[in-house]
Structure formats: C-alpha cells, structure tokens
Amino acid sequence: MKARHDEVLRLLHEGGDPTSLGKEMSTLREMSAYCEKVAEINAERLSLQELLEETEASGDEDSKDMIDEIKDELEQLKVQLQPLSQRMHKSLIPVLNPDDVEDLTSSDVVIDIRAGTGGDEACLFAAEIMAGYEAIAKSGGDGGKSWDIEILSCSTTDLGGVKEASLAVSSRGGGGGGGYGYESFDVASDDAPEDEDMAQKLLQQLGPYGFFQYESGVHRVQRVPVNDNKLQTSAVAVGVLPAIPEGALGNALPPTELKIDVMRASGAGGQHVNTTESAVRITHIPTGIMAYMQEERSQHKNKSKAMRLVAARVHSLRKQQALQERSNARSSLMGGGDRSERVRTYNFPQDRITDHRCKVSVQGVQSWLSDGSMVGKFAPHLYKMERDDRTAALEEELDDSGKNGKKRRKK
C-alpha cells in the first residue's frame, strides 16, 4: 500500500493523469499514513525487545529497574498499535461493498409496499410510508438531486389507505459516484459535525437503490387509530429491488422464460375497465415470480410496467442467492432485502422511531415520516454496521490464516 502510494505520487510529479491518479491518491493517502505509523512503532518495539534481551542476559541485579521500564514502554507501544490496526482495517475496507458498489451508486430502484397485519390501520400507514418515500425521492435522497418517481401499481382503500403498491425511482443520468468509498466513516455521535459531513458525503454518492436498500423489511407502527381508543400495532412490509434498465430486459428475461397473459381489467373504472383486454400478467417460469398490471388504459404500457417489475424481482432473487453463496458476513443485517424481519418501529405515543438493526432511535415520528427523511437518517448507520461486519469477517479470516500457518510450521 505504501509502495503504491509512493508510485502514484511519482507519476503525478511526472505529469500523469491528475484525475484518475488523484482519485487513487485520495484512497491511498490515509492508508499510507497508517502504514508509516505502524512501521515506526514496530521498529521501536524491535529495538526495545533487543535491548530487553541484552539487559536480561547480562544478569546484572542493578538492571531490574531498567527491565521494568523497557517492559512498560513495550506495553505502551502495544496499546498504541491496537487502535491503529483497527483504523487500517477500516481504511482498507470501503464503506460501500465492492461487490455491490455498481448497484448502490448507479441502479434505479423498484419499491414494493404491502400492508400487513392491522387491517385499515396498516393500509393507512402504508400510504404514509409511500408518501414519505415519494417526498424524499423528489429531493434526490438527500443528495441534492431530483429523482423521477413512477407509480407502477397501487391498490387503495376507501379510507385513503394503500393495500399494496410498487414505485419506480430513477435518477437522471445515473446515481451518485463521489469517490468516498474508501474514506473513514465512523458514526460516533449525532452532534459531531465531521460525522454529519461524512454521512452527507455517503448519501451524495448513492443512487436510488443504494439510498433505499435498507428500507427492506417489516415496518411496525404503534398508535391509537382515529376510530378507536386503544393502542394498536400494525405492520407494513417493504421490499427494495434494484431495477433493470429497459435496454437490458431482453437479456435479463429471455422470452422463453416468460408466460404472458392478457385479460380484462377488474374493479372500478367505467366501461373501459371491463370491455378492453388491457390488463397484463407476466410470470417468470423458472422462479414462479409474477407481476400483474392494469393501471394503464394501454395493454402495451401495462406490459412494459409488468416486465420491469418482474425483472426487478427476479434480479433481486438472484442477487440474494449470489450473496448467500458468496458470504454470510452480513447476517446481522437484512442481506438482500428479507421482508419478513422487523426492521423498524414507529411508536406514536412515545413519539419515537427505532431501527432495530443499528439500535438507533430518533424523536419526532411525524416529522421524520412525512418527508421520508428517516431513510437518510438511518442509512449511514446501517452502512457503517455492514462495513463493520465485513471488517470482522476479514479479521476472522486473517486469524484463521495465521493459526493454519503456525500449524504448518510446527509440522
């Protein structure tokens, strides 16, 4: 790492490409500084260890105080080395997982929202979550850009609730891409300006999928319904799926894997709904994943929406399967978007939102929910948690490798 840092520095001085080399230099600078500091400490430890061995070998009774002093210094150096090693690991492991970075920074997103237990109250809460997501998406996920929102499908109740809905959120010209993937990112305090700055940098480089990905799971609400006087607990399931670009749909879903049915739409909507075969149902045969669309008057438009929804769901399934095969390092999080796990509770009587994965709570339920800002509040904590999981996995792998090496040397 240090050698590469020096090489990049030399290339810059010799007139190399300042854009690409400058980005690489920013990722190497912090790591190089840690390497230098660790090398200095290790050199000092080696020198003290040699002095300790010489002093102990002398057998001089008057050298006892010196031996104690050397041991104290060695212990102090050991204490200094431990946090440096931890920081080196964090500098070595980027905030955004390299295996997912393209999806996180560039992919658009499809968000499935479905009311769960709780009847009408669950449907009303689903409508509030949907409105919050729409509001935060319009502001570009706190990244200063405006994202496009398209309602692919939405089934509502007479009270204004949402039974189930699918939203597509797309960026204009791609996602974020800020170059902060390898920077230090530690959320230690909500009041620390540097932490807020790093969180903002992270949010700026995320695309729609990266911004919303940790919304997947069960969102639980506790409040007293308007037509009741008892506290009720309801739930809404959210699924977050990376969208497939329309130009790539043919490769992602070969026609031979699809079953497409057309039919008359059902429900309210006048004569057109019941007399025109505009509704479309697409089934992905290998997985059984299905999407039904009747929102548009045009069969062609309904087919296009259904195709996008099926493609996103199939891609998400494949992504989860690949993740399970690749590693279980993110077992403490939701993985690829498990909808069955409770991720967050919105407690209205206590005016508190709690994310159960990162154990972070905020006050002011309505303000965070109404504009969707809770997404940007919890996402940095969850990305840090996921990075810590990868760090722990690397440390465990290095420990196992070291133990195996010792066993081989003994043989």
Side-chain angles (χ1 to χ4, degrees):
M1 189 70 72
K2 174 68 168 59
R4 179 57 184 167
H5 174 271
D6 294 341
E7 183 184 356
V8 171
L9 191 61
R10 178 182 61 78
L11 291 171
L12 282 169
H13 286 314
E14 293 177 356
D17 180 17
T19 303
S20 60
L21 291 174
K23 286 183 178 180
E24 186 175 358
M25 175 62 76
S26 68
T27 64
L28 292 170
R29 185 178 293 115
E30 185 179 17
M31 190 64 184
S32 178
Y34 287 140
C35 288
E36 288 182 359
K37 185 64 177 175
V38 168
E40 290 175 7
I41 292 176
N42 282 332
E44 190 173 353
R45 287 179 68 192
L46 182 61
S47 177
L48 286 171
Q49 191 64 43
E50 291 175 350
L51 179 60
L52 177 62
E53 291 173 1
E54 291 175 3
T55 307
E56 289 177 335
S58 69
D60 189 351
E61 293 183 2
D62 296 333
S63 62
K64 184 178 183 304
D65 289 342
M66 180 178 286
I67 291 174
D68 290 340
E69 287 180 12
I70 295 173
K71 287 182 177 180
D72 286 342
E73 287 186 45
L74 284 170
E75 189 60 34
Q76 289 174 18
L77 290 175
K78 183 179 178 181
V79 170
Q80 292 178 34
L81 199 58
Q82 186 174 1
L84 278 173
S85 297
Q86 293 174 347
R87 289 171 190 163
M88 282 180 66
H89 282 156
K90 288 185 176 181
S91 295
L92 187 63
I93 299 175
V95 177
L96 301 182
N97 191 331
D99 293 320
D100 302 325
V101 69
E102 186 174 352
D103 271 347
L104 297 176
T105 59
S106 302
S107 287
D108 296 333
V109 69
V110 172
I111 305 174
D112 282 341
I113 302 170
R114 180 170 299 186
T117 56
D120 288 336
E121 179 62 21
C123 294
L124 291 172
F125 184 55
E128 292 179 66
I129 285 184
M130 179 176 169
Y133 289 165
E134 290 184 81
I136 195 65
K138 288 177 182 176
S139 65
D142 287 344
K145 294 170 274 188
S146 179
W147 290 339
D148 293 326
I149 307 162
E150 181 182 4
I151 300 176
L152 299 178
S153 64
C154 185
S155 175
T156 60
T157 67
D158 294 338
L159 297 177
V162 170
K163 295 178 182 177
E164 55 182 314
S166 294
L167 310 177
V169 180
S170 56
S171 60
R172 297 167 184 172
Y180 299 98
Y182 282 85
E183 285 201 29
S184 173
F185 181 73
D186 296 300
V187 183
S189 166
D190 292 341
D191 300 321
E194 60 271 21
D195 293 337
E196 294 177 2
D197 183 53
M198 288 307 302
Q200 189 61 32
K201 286 178 179 179
L202 172 67
L203 295 176
Q204 285 173 353
Q205 63 177 326
L206 296 175
Y209 173 68
F211 181 72
F212 283 104
Q213 77 153 336
Y214 287 121
E215 292 302 294
S216 279
V218 174
H219 295 243
R220 187 178 69 167
V221 60
Q222 294 176 316
R223 64 183 174 187
V224 178
V226 292
N227 58 350
D228 202 346
N229 57 6
K230 294 180 181 179
L231 183 68
Q232 180 175 325
T233 299
S234 305
V236 171
V238 175
V240 178
L241 321 169
I244 303 294
E246 289 195 32
L249 287 177
N251 293 329
L253 296 177
T256 54
E257 295 184 357
L258 300 177
K259 179 185 177 184
I260 302 176
D261 299 306
V262 296
M263 61 205 72
R264 294 181 181 181
S266 59
Q271 291 182 339
H272 159 77
V273 169
N274 297 313
T275 60
T276 307
E277 289 191 338
S278 58
V280 176
R281 181 175 63 230
I282 300 179
T283 305
H284 183 244
I285 299 170
T287 61
I289 290 174
M290 183 194 73
Y292 173 81
M293 204 66 60
Q294 66 167 30
E295 305 299 308
E296 302 289 343
R297 296 173 63 89
S298 162
Q299 182 189 110
H300 176 73
K301 290 182 179 179
N302 281 328
K303 180 180 177 181
S304 176
K305 285 186 174 183
M307 187 73 76
R308 290 164 59 192
L309 195 52
V310 166
R313 289 171 177 170
V314 170
H315 179 58
S316 179
L317 177 63
R318 290 170 178 167
K319 184 179 175 68
Q320 290 179 52
Q321 292 171 342
L323 178 63
Q324 290 171 359
E325 292 173 3
R326 185 176 74 218
S327 172
N328 62 357
R330 290 196 283 178
S331 58
S332 62
L333 289 176
M334 297 227 348
D338 182 0
R339 302 191 200 188
S340 64
E341 184 176 342
R342 185 188 66 178
V343 296
R344 200 172 295 154
T345 294
Y346 303 72
N347 190 313
F348 276 78
Q350 297 179 13
D351 198 27
R352 182 184 69 238
I353 303 177
T354 300
D355 193 289
H356 302 291
R357 296 161 294 182
C358 60
K359 306 296 189 292
V360 173
S361 296
V362 294
Q363 297 297 131
V365 177
Q366 200 59 57
S367 60
W368 289 104
L369 180 60
S370 61
D371 62 3
S373 54
M374 76 281 186
V375 183
K377 175 64 178 178
F378 293 116
H381 293 276
L382 293 164
Y383 272 104
K384 176 185 178 295
M385 185 177 171
E386 190 269 348
R387 201 263 306 268
D388 289 345
D389 279 349
R390 282 184 282 124
T391 302
L394 177 61
E395 290 173 347
E396 184 178 343
E397 184 179 331
L398 292 173
D399 287 343
D400 291 342
S401 178
K403 291 175 182 177
N404 292 334
K406 289 180 180 179
K407 287 180 181 179
R408 285 193 295 269
R409 284 194 293 273
K410 286 181 181 179
K411 290 180 181 178

